[in-house]
Amino acid sequence: MSETTFEEDHGLEAGQDNVRVLGLDVHNPVFFVSAVLIIAFVVFALIFSETAAAGLGGLRTWLTSTFDWVFMLSANLFVLFCLAVALSPLGKVRLGGKDAVAEYSYSGWFAMLFAAGMGIGLMFFGVLEPMYHFNNPPLGLEAPLADGQLVEGAAVAAREMGMAATIFHWGLHPWAIYAVLALSLSLAAYNKGLPLSIRSVFYPIFGERIRGWIGHVVDIMAVLATLFGLATSLGFGASQALAGLNELYGVPNTDMMKVILIVCITGVALTSVVAGLDAGVKRLSEINMVLALALLLFVIAFGPTMEIISGFFSNAWFYVKELPELSNWVGREDTDFMHGWTTFYWAWWISWSPFVGMFIARVSKGRTVREFIICVLIIPTIVSILWMTTFGGTALSQFLNEGYNGVQQTVVDYVPELSLFAMLADLPLAGVSSLIGIILVIVFFVTSSDSGSLVIDTITAGGKIDAPVAQRVFWALFEGLVAIVLLLGGGLAALQAGAIATGFPFAILMVLMLYATFKALRFEYKAIDGSPD
């Protein structure tokens, strides 16, 4: 597509291909095909649960072992692209045009970015993962434990690698995945006036053909990826919240209770969905940030304070030092780590990217591209380093310096939902801090379901952001239902398989998105400051 064609009036409007029936305002065929596919999956998984669980497990193994290079290469490209754009003259482009003004303060904006981006994940893996990678260090490092005893000399290297590997999974790569889609969608919606839908990001490549089957396929894939990515997070959140309730109050930790918990929290999310973006998601996100900061400061104050402070800098250095090797997929022998952790994570982040990317786009109008990338890529990475150092570093210090093996035992027994509470149990006021942890998980759960419903509804309403509330309610209900079905049909493994299966095809689309985003940025830059060539 030529630059000249890109400058022409596209004539595309939000909701122009919608049908209005029974009070709904939905895109044809995106809404109907997506709904039918998801309903068919739910029905099949409920009736043939064992077959569905086996199929999902086999699919996960095949995708992670056969196409690991696709996930690894694409994630690396996203990081390099974001850094290159931020450092280039293209960073001067403003989302929404040169006169656009930011709609949210930095505090409100960042709270929504962080809560939507990975809130539940940080709560679930913040303590578990550093200890797990300490026990099973990647890149061929010697294991620090033999017959339950520390191996002299190996523990220090394993601790460094455990923190570096954890930060690797929560640092630049996931946030670059989010940033690419959010940046591309912001340019399409705010600078070109295209509908706020994933298909719009490919306008610089396909032009008005995005209105046809190409656009339908892109949006349907985005809906499926978003729903399964969200279901994975909701499943993790429900498992962890119930484990905490079991530890504190003896609530039975059964599948039926997980279902009840998902139903109850989905009900709370529906209230927030009806309230809308500003009254619902923004307010809950800010509450979450206050609670998360309180819990973070509590652990810093009552945990190994000086170790955490010094560890922040040393762990950042370990991350940077090991980043090239951890990012490489060629000739790796630690395939359990690469397939079981890294490939899953990249697929999970990619499956989340339509949801988080569109959500970030909706709240980022008025920022320059450079400001956008710094705030979406660099600052969250720094926060992730601090979070992992505080929670994971405290757990490692408890084990290595105090001999407390509570978290270590959750890794050995692989009950990951208990890791956070096992770490907090060794600190003062464990009952209070654990309760705050449970509340945090639940509120993150609500904000994820809420904002996810808003995003899926926008896609299936042809880019309209003021579609009938009933549609958002429909998607919120189905997010909870898919999470329940996957939990009952195979537990956390089935949740992970669902995320990988939907993340793989979307990874291919996102690589193509890099070219579309560059074309859009180049056009906007030429309009304000001449050619960057």
Side-chain angles (χ1 to χ4, degrees):
M1 183 175 185
S2 69
E3 297 287 347
T4 303
T5 306
F6 187 46
E7 294 183 49
E8 294 174 358
D9 181 18
H10 50 72
L12 300 174
E13 298 179 2
Q16 68 187 119
D17 295 318
N18 284 12
V19 295
R20 294 160 185 83
V21 58
L22 299 176
L24 303 180
D25 186 356
V26 296
H27 188 280
N28 181 33
V30 173
F31 177 89
F32 299 105
V33 173
S34 301
V36 167
L37 288 174
I38 291 165
I39 291 171
F41 169 80
V42 168
V43 172
F44 177 81
L46 285 174
I47 297 175
F48 305 102
S49 57
E50 292 185 5
T51 303
L56 285 169
L59 183 62
R60 173 187 173 170
T61 301
W62 180 69
L63 284 173
T64 54
S65 59
T66 307
F67 297 104
D68 51 359
W69 63 274
V70 173
F71 292 109
M72 299 289 284
L73 176 60
S74 59
N76 291 341
L77 287 175
F78 301 146
V79 173
L80 295 174
F81 178 84
C82 287
L83 295 176
V85 167
L87 295 173
S88 77
L90 298 175
K92 294 171 60 177
V93 173
R94 187 173 294 276
L95 302 178
K98 62 179 181 179
D99 298 322
V101 177
E103 297 177 354
Y104 298 96
S105 65
Y106 275 112
S107 60
W109 183 43
F110 186 69
M112 288 190 282
L113 297 183
F114 200 73
M118 48 182 59
I120 289 178
L122 287 176
M123 294 296 294
F124 192 91
F125 291 101
V127 174
L128 164 75
E129 195 173 345
M131 183 66 78
Y132 185 94
H133 298 321
F134 167 79
N135 282 5
N136 308 277
L139 300 179
L141 263 68
E142 181 183 0
L145 296 170
D147 298 325
Q149 301 297 315
L150 285 172
V151 177
E152 187 176 351
V156 173
R159 181 176 187 166
E160 293 176 359
M161 181 57 72
M163 292 305 306
T166 301
I167 295 167
F168 171 59
H169 291 147
W170 296 86
L172 292 174
H173 284 77
W175 287 101
I177 291 168
Y178 296 157
V180 165
L181 198 144
L183 175 60
S184 188
L185 191 56
S186 296
L187 289 166
Y190 303 133
N191 294 73
K192 294 302 297 176
L194 289 158
L196 192 64
S197 196
I198 306 300
R199 70 174 71 202
S200 296
V201 306
F202 295 102
Y203 181 81
I205 300 175
F206 299 112
E208 294 184 19
R209 285 176 290 174
I210 63 170
R211 188 176 177 182
W213 69 268
I214 292 175
H216 301 335
V217 170
V218 167
D219 279 349
I220 291 168
M221 288 174 61
V223 170
L224 296 178
T226 300
L227 200 75
F228 280 89
L230 273 169
T232 302
S233 295
L234 300 185
F236 282 136
S239 298
Q240 187 175 32
L242 188 57
L245 291 171
N246 175 261
E247 285 288 299
L248 286 180
Y249 307 113
V251 177
N253 194 350
T254 63
D255 285 344
M256 181 53 65
M257 285 305 302
K258 290 177 185 176
V259 170
I260 293 172
L261 187 61
I262 291 175
V263 169
C264 291
I265 297 177
T266 299
V268 176
L270 289 176
T271 304
S272 181
V273 162
V274 173
L277 181 63
D278 290 333
V281 179
K282 181 174 180 288
R283 189 171 299 162
L284 284 172
S285 297
E286 290 174 341
I287 292 171
N288 253 15
M289 287 301 293
V290 171
L291 289 175
L293 180 61
L295 188 61
L296 180 75
L297 293 176
F298 170 83
V299 177
I300 292 174
F302 291 98
T305 305
M306 295 311 299
E307 278 190 48
I308 292 171
I309 294 172
S310 62
F312 172 79
F313 298 100
S314 58
N315 291 336
W317 164 242
F318 300 147
Y319 167 53
V320 172
K321 183 179 70 170
E322 301 296 343
L323 187 58
E325 273 197 271
L326 290 168
S327 302
N328 173 51
W329 68 92
V330 180
R332 291 278 290 269
E333 295 183 0
D334 56 339
T335 53
D336 287 346
F337 170 82
M338 189 171 70
H339 294 161
W341 288 90
T342 305
T343 307
F344 159 67
Y345 269 128
W346 291 178
W348 189 17
W349 303 140
I350 289 169
S351 69
W352 259 55
S353 64
F355 148 51
V356 180
M358 182 176 288
F359 185 75
I360 291 174
R362 285 191 63 175
V363 299
S364 299
K365 184 178 180 180
R367 309 290 179 182
T368 66
V369 169
R370 184 171 294 114
E371 178 187 14
F372 174 89
I373 290 177
I374 290 172
C375 289
V376 175
L377 183 66
I378 306 301
I379 292 178
T381 297
I382 293 172
V383 173
S384 294
I385 294 172
L386 177 60
W387 187 276
M388 294 303 181
T389 297
T390 300
F391 287 80
T394 296
L396 288 169
S397 178
Q398 289 172 341
F399 179 65
L400 294 172
N401 300 332
E402 302 174 19
Y404 173 69
N405 68 346
V407 177
Q408 169 75 5
Q409 198 61 44
T410 68
V411 173
V412 173
D413 298 338
Y414 203 72
V415 281
E417 60 271 17
L418 287 176
S419 296
L420 170 66
F421 305 109
M423 183 273 288
L424 293 174
D426 192 49
L427 301 179
L429 303 172
V432 175
S433 60
S434 294
L435 180 59
I436 292 175
I438 294 170
I439 294 172
L440 260 173
V441 171
I442 291 173
V443 181
F444 274 131
F445 194 146
V446 172
T447 53
S448 295
S449 178
D450 185 346
S451 46
S453 303
L454 290 171
V455 166
I456 295 176
D457 179 45
T458 301
I459 298 173
T460 56
K464 295 186 71 171
I465 60 175
D466 56 351
V469 174
Q471 296 169 205
R472 296 199 295 268
V473 170
F474 171 84
W475 290 115
L477 289 173
F478 265 83
E479 286 163 21
L481 189 56
V482 170
I484 289 170
V485 167
L486 287 174
L487 268 176
L488 296 179
L492 297 180
L495 292 165
Q496 293 172 342
I500 292 171
T502 52
F504 172 69
F506 207 78
I508 309 300
L509 282 180
M510 286 197 64
V511 172
L512 183 62
M513 198 180 294
L514 294 178
Y515 177 59
T517 307
F518 174 74
K519 288 195 70 174
L521 280 170
R522 188 170 180 271
F523 173 78
E524 293 298 323
Y525 181 79
K526 287 178 66 177
I528 62 171
D529 205 29
S531 173
D533 294 335

